[in-house]
Short mmCIF file of all heavy atoms in Angstrom, two decimals:
data_model
loop_
_atom_site.label_atom_id
_atom_site.label_comp_id
_atom_site.label_asym_id
_atom_site.label_seq_id
_atom_site.Cartn_x
_atom_site.Cartn_y
_atom_site.Cartn_z
N ALA A 23 -14.58 32.00 -15.75
CA ALA A 23 -15.94 31.49 -15.89
C ALA A 23 -16.05 30.06 -15.39
O ALA A 23 -17.05 29.68 -14.75
CB ALA A 23 -16.38 31.56 -17.36
N GLU A 24 -15.02 29.23 -15.64
CA GLU A 24 -15.03 27.86 -15.13
C GLU A 24 -14.99 27.85 -13.60
O GLU A 24 -15.71 27.09 -12.95
CB GLU A 24 -13.83 27.09 -15.67
CG GLU A 24 -13.89 26.73 -17.14
CD GLU A 24 -12.66 25.97 -17.58
OE1 GLU A 24 -11.66 26.61 -17.96
OE2 GLU A 24 -12.68 24.72 -17.53
N ILE A 25 -14.14 28.68 -13.05
CA ILE A 25 -14.00 28.76 -11.59
C ILE A 25 -15.31 29.23 -10.96
O ILE A 25 -15.81 28.62 -10.01
CB ILE A 25 -12.84 29.70 -11.22
CG1 ILE A 25 -11.51 29.13 -11.76
CG2 ILE A 25 -12.77 29.91 -9.71
CD1 ILE A 25 -10.39 30.14 -11.80
N ASP A 26 -15.85 30.29 -11.49
CA ASP A 26 -17.10 30.82 -10.94
C ASP A 26 -18.25 29.84 -11.14
O ASP A 26 -19.18 29.80 -10.32
CB ASP A 26 -17.44 32.16 -11.61
CG ASP A 26 -16.48 33.27 -11.22
OD1 ASP A 26 -15.75 33.11 -10.22
OD2 ASP A 26 -16.45 34.30 -11.92
N GLY A 27 -18.19 29.04 -12.20
CA GLY A 27 -19.24 28.06 -12.44
C GLY A 27 -19.31 27.02 -11.34
O GLY A 27 -20.40 26.57 -10.95
N VAL A 28 -18.14 26.61 -10.82
CA VAL A 28 -18.12 25.66 -9.69
C VAL A 28 -18.78 26.29 -8.47
O VAL A 28 -19.59 25.66 -7.79
CB VAL A 28 -16.66 25.26 -9.37
CG1 VAL A 28 -16.62 24.40 -8.11
CG2 VAL A 28 -16.05 24.51 -10.54
N VAL A 29 -18.47 27.55 -8.21
CA VAL A 29 -19.05 28.25 -7.06
C VAL A 29 -20.55 28.41 -7.22
O VAL A 29 -21.33 28.15 -6.30
CB VAL A 29 -18.37 29.63 -6.90
CG1 VAL A 29 -19.02 30.42 -5.77
CG2 VAL A 29 -16.88 29.46 -6.64
N GLN A 30 -20.97 28.81 -8.41
CA GLN A 30 -22.40 29.02 -8.66
C GLN A 30 -23.20 27.73 -8.49
O GLN A 30 -24.32 27.76 -7.97
CB GLN A 30 -22.58 29.58 -10.08
CG GLN A 30 -22.08 31.00 -10.24
CD GLN A 30 -21.89 31.39 -11.70
OE1 GLN A 30 -22.21 30.61 -12.62
NE2 GLN A 30 -21.39 32.59 -11.94
N SER A 31 -22.64 26.62 -8.88
CA SER A 31 -23.37 25.35 -8.75
C SER A 31 -23.62 25.01 -7.29
O SER A 31 -24.69 24.48 -6.95
CB SER A 31 -22.59 24.21 -9.43
OG SER A 31 -21.39 23.92 -8.74
N THR A 32 -22.67 25.31 -6.40
CA THR A 32 -22.88 25.03 -4.98
C THR A 32 -23.81 26.05 -4.35
O THR A 32 -24.61 25.71 -3.48
CB THR A 32 -21.54 24.99 -4.22
OG1 THR A 32 -20.87 26.24 -4.35
CG2 THR A 32 -20.66 23.88 -4.75
N HIS A 33 -23.73 27.31 -4.78
CA HIS A 33 -24.67 28.31 -4.29
C HIS A 33 -26.10 27.94 -4.67
O HIS A 33 -27.04 28.12 -3.88
CB HIS A 33 -24.32 29.69 -4.85
CG HIS A 33 -23.12 30.33 -4.22
ND1 HIS A 33 -22.62 31.54 -4.63
CD2 HIS A 33 -22.33 29.93 -3.19
CE1 HIS A 33 -21.57 31.86 -3.88
NE2 HIS A 33 -21.37 30.88 -3.01
N GLN A 34 -26.26 27.44 -5.88
CA GLN A 34 -27.60 27.05 -6.33
C GLN A 34 -28.13 25.88 -5.50
O GLN A 34 -29.32 25.84 -5.15
CB GLN A 34 -27.56 26.69 -7.80
CG GLN A 34 -27.33 27.89 -8.72
CD GLN A 34 -26.94 27.49 -10.14
OE1 GLN A 34 -26.91 26.30 -10.48
NE2 GLN A 34 -26.61 28.48 -10.96
N LEU A 35 -27.26 24.94 -5.17
CA LEU A 35 -27.68 23.82 -4.33
C LEU A 35 -28.12 24.32 -2.97
O LEU A 35 -29.16 23.91 -2.45
CB LEU A 35 -26.54 22.82 -4.18
CG LEU A 35 -26.76 21.68 -3.18
CD1 LEU A 35 -27.99 20.85 -3.57
CD2 LEU A 35 -25.52 20.79 -3.09
N TYR A 36 -27.34 25.22 -2.38
CA TYR A 36 -27.70 25.76 -1.07
C TYR A 36 -29.03 26.50 -1.14
O TYR A 36 -29.88 26.37 -0.25
CB TYR A 36 -26.60 26.71 -0.58
CG TYR A 36 -26.88 27.31 0.78
CD1 TYR A 36 -26.67 26.57 1.95
CD2 TYR A 36 -27.35 28.61 0.91
CE1 TYR A 36 -26.92 27.12 3.19
CE2 TYR A 36 -27.60 29.16 2.15
CZ TYR A 36 -27.38 28.42 3.29
OH TYR A 36 -27.64 28.96 4.52
N ALA A 37 -29.24 27.28 -2.19
CA ALA A 37 -30.48 28.04 -2.33
C ALA A 37 -31.70 27.12 -2.42
O ALA A 37 -32.81 27.52 -2.04
CB ALA A 37 -30.40 28.95 -3.56
N SER A 38 -31.50 25.89 -2.90
CA SER A 38 -32.62 24.96 -3.06
C SER A 38 -32.99 24.27 -1.76
O SER A 38 -34.04 23.62 -1.68
CB SER A 38 -32.26 23.90 -4.11
OG SER A 38 -31.27 23.01 -3.61
N LEU A 39 -32.15 24.40 -0.72
CA LEU A 39 -32.43 23.73 0.55
C LEU A 39 -33.50 24.49 1.33
O LEU A 39 -33.68 25.69 1.17
CB LEU A 39 -31.14 23.64 1.38
CG LEU A 39 -29.98 22.85 0.78
CD1 LEU A 39 -28.78 22.92 1.70
CD2 LEU A 39 -30.38 21.41 0.50
N PRO A 40 -34.22 23.80 2.22
CA PRO A 40 -35.22 24.46 3.06
C PRO A 40 -34.59 25.57 3.92
O PRO A 40 -33.39 25.55 4.20
CB PRO A 40 -35.76 23.33 3.94
CG PRO A 40 -35.44 22.07 3.19
CD PRO A 40 -34.17 22.34 2.46
N ALA A 41 -35.42 26.51 4.34
CA ALA A 41 -34.93 27.64 5.14
C ALA A 41 -34.45 27.20 6.51
O ALA A 41 -33.57 27.84 7.10
CB ALA A 41 -36.03 28.69 5.28
N HIS A 42 -35.02 26.12 7.03
CA HIS A 42 -34.64 25.67 8.37
C HIS A 42 -33.16 25.29 8.39
O HIS A 42 -32.69 24.50 7.58
CB HIS A 42 -35.48 24.46 8.78
CG HIS A 42 -35.17 23.94 10.15
ND1 HIS A 42 -35.15 24.75 11.26
CD2 HIS A 42 -34.84 22.69 10.58
CE1 HIS A 42 -34.84 24.03 12.32
NE2 HIS A 42 -34.65 22.78 11.94
N GLY A 43 -32.43 25.88 9.31
CA GLY A 43 -31.00 25.63 9.41
C GLY A 43 -30.14 26.71 8.79
O GLY A 43 -28.92 26.70 8.94
N LYS A 44 -30.78 27.65 8.10
CA LYS A 44 -30.04 28.77 7.51
C LYS A 44 -30.09 29.98 8.43
O LYS A 44 -31.01 30.12 9.24
CB LYS A 44 -30.64 29.13 6.14
CG LYS A 44 -30.52 28.03 5.10
CD LYS A 44 -31.12 28.47 3.78
CE LYS A 44 -30.97 27.39 2.71
NZ LYS A 44 -31.53 27.80 1.40
N PRO A 45 -29.10 30.87 8.34
CA PRO A 45 -29.14 32.11 9.12
C PRO A 45 -30.42 32.87 8.85
O PRO A 45 -30.98 32.83 7.74
CB PRO A 45 -27.92 32.88 8.61
CG PRO A 45 -26.98 31.82 8.13
CD PRO A 45 -27.86 30.76 7.54
#
Side-chain angles (χ1 to χ4, degrees):
E24 288 180 273
I25 297 163
D26 291 344
V28 173
V29 176
Q30 291 163 4
S31 68
T32 59
H33 285 177
Q34 290 166 4
L35 172 59
Y36 180 79
S38 71
L39 299 178
H42 181 52
K44 296 180 178 181

